[in-house]
Amino acid sequence: MIPLVSPPLRASVLAACALLAGCAQLSPDGGFGRVQDIAAQKLGAAPAWNRTLEDTRRSETRVAQLLPAGQLANADDAVQIALINNPDLQASFAELGVAEADLVQAGRLPNPGFSFARTHAGDDIKIERSLTLGLLQLVTMPAASRIEARRFEQVRLQLAARVLATAAQTRQAYYKAVASQQGLAYQEQVGQAAEAAHELAAKMAERGNYSRLDAAREQLFYAETQTRLQRVRREALQDKETLARLMGLPPSFTLPARLPALPRQIDTADDIERQAVEQRLDVQAARMELEGLRASLGLTRATRFVNVLDLGALRTSESGKAPEIGYQVSLEIPLFDWGQARVAKAEAIYMQSANKLAAAALDARAQARLAWRERQDAYALARRYRDDIVPLRSRMSEETLLRYNGMLISVFELLADAREQAATVNAAIEAERDFWIADAGLQLALGGPAATAAPQQGKQP
């Protein structure tokens, strides 16, 4: 059999193809290590991609370790469980595999084409064979690989930002669930006080020792308290369900009885806007997208006139004649389409990406300012309740109890004071909850944890 091309040329082509094809390979972790490193740096907790049965079992073991006897200890454990068990987050990790596949595909040589033709005229037989390769795609392959590499890194940054968002949502849901449960406990105390006052007022009204107007007031307050208790109980169940959904678990775990204590102080930041622009992953992803589109625009301009360029080897054999060996070049002639539309489209997409980057930076600055002020205000309000309002209410309750023991006030006044004290404590719990939620929101707005002092333990309303 006569070879289609000479052996040295064929060996060189095959060696070059094997070398270029071997440069692009799928990584063992699918590029997930970069996402884990970013999350560990900004959260102190790393996500897990459960791609295999072994990975899933490892995550299940880790979840069991973080929930000893079904007890959820703190917000950090809730975040860690969500990062390895949240089904929505696991589904988004598949985007990384798609992006890496596109990157590897961009680094692979195009498959050659083979054509075969056989004709005859009487006893004369003519056979034509050709082997073609997309030369333009081969020439532009390095530039295309660089573009796909930027897109791959952009997807990794977007996934890391999604991890940070899931962590912030889980942390906020944890504080809401704990505060709802703590508020429910105090609301049940209010309900008990209202029930006692209602029963006592009913008995005294039967004996004529209590006016109908006062008895109606106690009955109305009792009805409103039971309604409020039912509403608070429903909100507590809903908040726990939200936390359980983010963690990817049924709501059978047990939460702590109280919110963590407020920190002694919160530090000020020098330039939160600059910190947000530098650390926010969505801003980094938008910047990387702009750089990739800039390179893509250059590639579009370079290939605006020639979009198809194929190189092929030919071999023609005919009866009674020596084989004809040669090559052919296929070139697109820019007769009707000069590529202006492709270049204009690329330039429009580039300008759109530039404006998106400017908008992302502007939003990052605004969100950082708002989140910072919200946390400052929430901290000031929570401290006001903790240091001023709750202690004053406690002293008032002590004085009320002394007057009741001295038979200076009635039991109804004592019960009313207990209801007011519980309402004040509920307001203090909500203020502390708002601070912790604002603190998690600030971490998300800055693209990383804010500088906060260690919590002061033991001082709770």
Side-chain angles (χ1 to χ4, degrees), residues 2-4 127 129 314-326:
I2 301 176
L4 185 61
I127 298 176
R129 288 162 291 184
L314 298 178
R315 184 178 187 275
T316 303
S317 59
E318 190 174 353
S319 300
K321 296 182 180 180
E324 298 177 0
I325 299 176

Side-chain angles (χ1 to χ4, degrees), residues 254-384:
T254 304
L255 292 170
R258 292 184 174 184
L259 287 169
L262 292 175
R264 298 179 184 274
Q265 61 182 6
I266 51 177
D267 300 333
T268 58
D270 295 334
D271 192 352
I272 57 172
E273 296 183 28
R274 179 186 55 81
Q275 183 180 352
V277 172
E278 291 178 354
Q279 295 185 357
R280 287 274 292 258
L281 297 179
D282 55 344
V283 177
Q284 296 180 23
R287 186 179 294 113
M288 186 159 295
E289 179 183 7
L290 184 63
E291 294 174 356
L293 288 174
R294 183 186 298 116
S296 177
L297 177 60
L299 183 62
T300 302
R301 286 173 173 169
T303 60
R304 59 177 298 188
F305 297 112
V306 179
N307 197 32
V308 176
L309 177 61
D310 294 334
L311 175 65
L314 298 178
R315 184 178 187 275
T316 303
S317 59
E318 190 174 353
S319 300
K321 296 182 180 180
E324 298 177 0
I325 299 176
Y327 65 91
Q328 69 175 4
V329 177
S330 299
L331 177 65
E332 180 186 83
I333 301 176
L335 185 59
F336 304 107
D337 184 5
W338 289 82
Q340 297 97 330
R342 291 198 306 272
V343 174
K345 179 181 177 181
E347 290 176 347
I349 294 176
Y350 176 78
M351 292 305 300
Q352 182 186 46
S353 179
N355 289 322
K356 286 183 178 180
L357 174 59
L362 184 63
D363 291 343
R365 293 189 181 95
Q367 292 172 11
R369 291 192 301 267
L370 291 175
W372 181 263
R373 285 197 294 266
E374 183 177 356
R375 191 183 73 150
Q376 294 291 105
D377 295 342
Y379 181 71
L381 182 62
R383 285 203 58 175
R384 177 63 60 88

Side-chain angles (χ1 to χ4, degrees), residues 7 48 70 168 184 225 249 290 357 392 447:
L184 176 60
T225 301
L249 296 174
L290 184 63
L357 174 59
L392 285 174

Side-chain angles (χ1 to χ4, degrees), residues 21-332:
C23 293
Q25 299 293 334
L26 294 172
S27 59
D29 64 347
F32 191 66
R34 171 65 173 161
V35 178
Q36 289 181 314
D37 294 340
I38 294 176
Q41 178 184 1
K42 295 181 177 295
L43 298 175
W49 188 4
N50 302 324
R51 293 186 292 176
T52 64
L53 182 60
E54 182 180 357
D55 295 336
T56 302
R57 290 176 178 173
R58 190 181 301 111
S59 296
E60 291 175 351
T61 302
R62 179 59 176 157
V63 170
Q65 294 174 352
L66 294 171
L67 285 174
Q71 175 69 42
L72 184 60
N74 49 52
D76 293 335
D77 290 348
V79 168
Q80 181 62 77
I81 293 174
L83 294 187
I84 63 179
N85 203 51
N86 184 287
D88 292 334
L89 199 58
Q90 292 295 320
S92 65
F93 289 155
E95 299 175 8
L96 197 60
V98 175
E100 188 186 32
D102 292 338
L103 172 60
V104 173
Q105 187 64 38
R108 296 287 176 88
L109 284 173
N111 291 324
F114 175 76
S115 65
F116 175 85
R118 182 183 183 276
T119 60
H120 68 89
D123 295 335
D124 295 335
I125 299 176
K126 186 177 181 179
I127 298 176
E128 293 184 359
R129 288 162 291 184
S130 65
L131 182 67
T132 59
L133 182 66
L135 185 60
L136 184 64
Q137 188 174 354
L138 179 63
V139 172
T140 59
M141 188 175 66
S145 298
R146 289 193 295 270
I147 292 173
E148 291 298 333
R150 292 190 186 94
R151 291 177 180 172
F152 181 48
E153 182 63 24
Q154 179 187 355
V155 170
R156 286 198 290 192
L157 290 175
Q158 290 173 347
L159 287 180
R162 193 170 302 176
V163 169
L164 297 184
T166 301
Q169 293 171 3
T170 304
R171 195 176 296 275
Q172 291 175 339
Y174 171 83
Y175 293 131
K176 286 183 180 179
V178 174
S180 297
Q181 178 180 273
Q182 188 176 354
L184 176 60
Y186 281 100
Q187 189 63 32
E188 289 174 348
Q189 294 182 12
V190 176
Q192 294 172 1
E195 184 177 5
H198 170 67
E199 293 177 356
L200 182 60
K203 292 179 180 179
M204 294 181 64
E206 290 177 358
R207 293 174 173 79
N209 297 327
Y210 207 50
S211 67
R212 292 183 178 181
L213 178 59
D214 292 336
R217 286 197 183 101
E218 291 296 335
Q219 185 177 2
L220 177 61
F221 180 78
Y222 173 71
E224 291 176 346
T225 301
Q226 293 301 313
T227 302
R228 170 65 178 168
L229 179 60
Q230 184 178 2
R231 185 182 299 111
V232 171
R233 185 177 288 114
R234 185 183 70 249
E235 291 175 355
L237 291 175
Q238 291 175 347
D239 291 340
K240 191 174 183 182
E241 284 286 353
T242 301
L243 175 62
R245 181 180 58 81
L246 288 169
M247 295 169 58
L249 296 174
S252 57
F253 51 86
T254 304
L255 292 170
R258 292 184 174 184
L259 287 169
L262 292 175
R264 298 179 184 274
Q265 61 182 6
I266 51 177
D267 300 333
T268 58
D270 295 334
D271 192 352
I272 57 172
E273 296 183 28
R274 179 186 55 81
Q275 183 180 352
V277 172
E278 291 178 354
Q279 295 185 357
R280 287 274 292 258
L281 297 179
D282 55 344
V283 177
Q284 296 180 23
R287 186 179 294 113
M288 186 159 295
E289 179 183 7
L290 184 63
E291 294 174 356
L293 288 174
R294 183 186 298 116
S296 177
L297 177 60
L299 183 62
T300 302
R301 286 173 173 169
T303 60
R304 59 177 298 188
F305 297 112
V306 179
N307 197 32
V308 176
L309 177 61
D310 294 334
L311 175 65
L314 298 178
R315 184 178 187 275
T316 303
S317 59
E318 190 174 353
S319 300
K321 296 182 180 180
E324 298 177 0
I325 299 176
Y327 65 91
Q328 69 175 4
V329 177
S330 299
L331 177 65
E332 180 186 83

